[in-house]
Amino acid sequence: MSIYKKISNILEDAGEIILKYYNSSYTIQTKEDWSPVTIADLEVSSFLEREILKLFPNDIVSTEENWKLWVDASRRIWLSDPLDWTKAFIER
């Protein structure tokens, strides 16, 4: 399987995680900046980091929910906001 197909599968699975929570009840937490965060945000963030690092263990994965600073310009960096528009997600 090509690397592009593997990444595509990871992204599709991330979407499934988000949809799992879309029509369910869940606790809404507040981040330090007072913006909302849900279990969907946190779970998909962890999932993406874990799965990308399986394919590319030397890369850096930085998401909105798990922000990492980096100084090594020789490493590939993945930046992601796994669930953009959390407020709209909460309002469905």
Side-chain angles (χ1 to χ4, degrees):
M1 178 182 306
S2 77
I3 195 69
Y4 301 107
K5 181 61 177 163
K6 289 178 183 179
I7 293 169
S8 177
N9 288 345
I10 290 170
L11 296 175
E12 287 177 16
D13 290 346
E16 291 298 320
I17 292 169
I18 292 169
L19 289 175
K20 172 175 77 172
Y21 291 103
Y22 188 73
N23 286 317
S24 67
S25 60
Y26 47 82
T27 303
I28 301 166
Q29 301 173 359
T30 305
K31 297 189 283 190
E32 290 179 14
D33 67 358
W34 297 102
S35 63
V37 64
T38 68
I39 187 68
D41 292 285
L42 299 172
E43 189 174 326
V44 78
S45 178
S46 294
F47 171 79
L48 287 171
E49 182 174 9
R50 183 178 60 250
E51 295 303 311
I52 290 170
L53 290 176
K54 283 181 189 176
L55 294 176
F56 306 104
N58 295 319
D59 288 4
I60 297 169
V61 179
S62 187
T63 70
E64 181 180 11
E65 310 314 330
N66 191 15
W67 188 252
K68 292 183 181 71
L69 296 177
W70 60 89
V71 293
D72 185 353
S74 67
R75 294 171 66 188
R76 181 177 25 217
I77 301 163
W78 297 74
L79 299 174
S80 173
D81 182 359
L83 177 56
D84 200 13
W85 293 72
T86 298
K87 289 179 185 177
F89 177 81
I90 292 167
E91 294 171 5
R92 292 177 179 72

